[in-house]
């Protein structure tokens, strides 16, 4: 085990087993709706993909029993959660906490790659374009969820902070987490 692996929390195996039997269509629909909201509030995220704005990416959280397939579709993204390998031009694999931490800038992608905590397969140019687009957007997934949650935004942010403190999984940007 690499030194960084010891620091990256893994999804609890018992919960991962439960996820093996849940239907994935509702999760796919929810993630598609969520990603389309992000596309509307951060249109440059998808423009920044350049020539890769119509390719499919596979995000493979190795500690979960499914993969997440992202089709940016020129700014009208579609997300499909599937069991098995998924289909895409680039696959980015690693623990869920590392993948989420990359979105929030909590982990250095190069360090994760060279320590083999993160594995990139397929078109590395496409994977790099996705990483750069996400880095430039400075997304905060918890804030994005709160923005579309109306009166539930406050309680959701408190729940997110609680979960983050107790799991060490970055659900928000590190500078935001320190403010809580």
């Amino acid at each position: 085990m690499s030194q960084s692996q010891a620091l990256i929390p893994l999804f609890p195996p018992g919960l991962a087993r439960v996820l093996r039997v849940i239907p994935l269509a509702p999760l796919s629909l929810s993630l598609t709706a969520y990603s389309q909201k992000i596309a509307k509030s951060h249109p440059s995220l998808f423009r920044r993909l350049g020539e890769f704005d119509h390719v499919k990416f596979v995000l493979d959280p190795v500690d979960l029993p499914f993969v997440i397939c992202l089709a940016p579709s020129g700014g009208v993204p579609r997300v499909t959660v599937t069991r098995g390998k998924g289909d895409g031009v680039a696959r980015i694999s690693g623990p869920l906490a590392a993948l989420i931490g990359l979105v929030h800038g909590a982990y250095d992608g190069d360090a994760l790659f060279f320590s083999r905590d993160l594995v990139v397969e397929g078109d590395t140019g496409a994977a790099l374009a996705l990483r750069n687009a996400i880095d430039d957007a400075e997304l905060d997934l918890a804030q994005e969820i709160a923005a579309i949650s109306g009166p539930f935004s406050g309680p959701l942010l408190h729940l997110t902070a609680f979960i983050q403190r107790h799991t060490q999984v970055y659900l928000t940007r590190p500078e935001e987490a320190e403010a809580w």
Side-chain angles (χ1 to χ4, degrees):
M1 181 183 325
S2 74
Q3 184 178 17
S4 60
Q5 279 178 319
L7 302 175
I8 299 171
L10 295 176
F11 198 82
L15 288 176
R17 281 191 292 278
V18 170
L19 294 177
R20 288 183 187 159
V21 297
I22 66 163
L24 298 180
L27 184 56
S28 294
L29 291 171
S30 298
L31 288 174
T32 293
Y34 179 56
S35 65
Q36 289 178 357
K37 298 274 186 189
I38 290 173
K40 286 181 183 173
S41 59
H42 298 277
S44 65
L45 170 66
F46 295 95
R47 283 194 304 270
R48 178 88 158 91
L49 287 172
E51 66 183 280
F52 303 108
D53 70 340
H54 281 82
V55 302
K56 291 182 183 176
F57 298 90
V58 177
L59 307 174
D60 183 1
V62 296
D63 47 352
L64 293 180
F66 52 74
V67 298
I68 302 162
C69 302
L70 169 65
S73 304
V76 185
R78 179 158 186 232
V79 177
T80 306
V81 180
T82 186
R83 290 179 174 76
K85 289 200 134 302
D87 183 36
V89 301
R91 171 183 300 278
I92 304 167
S93 304
L96 178 65
L99 296 172
I100 292 173
L102 284 171
V103 170
H104 292 122
Y107 294 116
D108 179 283
D110 292 334
L112 290 176
F113 177 77
F114 288 114
S115 68
R116 300 182 93 11
D117 293 315
L118 185 72
V119 176
V120 177
E121 299 172 306
D123 189 334
T124 54
L128 186 59
L130 180 63
R131 174 192 166 192
N132 290 339
I134 290 171
D135 282 350
D136 286 352
E138 294 187 354
L139 294 175
D140 185 312
L141 299 178
Q143 292 293 331
E144 297 293 335
I145 289 172
I148 61 174
S149 299
F152 301 106
S153 64
L156 279 173
L157 287 174
H158 288 294
L159 177 63
T160 300
F162 176 82
I163 293 170
Q164 184 165 299
R165 276 193 307 274
H166 287 65
T167 65
Q168 300 304 305
V169 175
Y170 287 94
L171 300 173
T172 189
R173 295 194 71 76
E175 60 271 8
E176 294 292 326
E178 292 168 10
W180 293 358

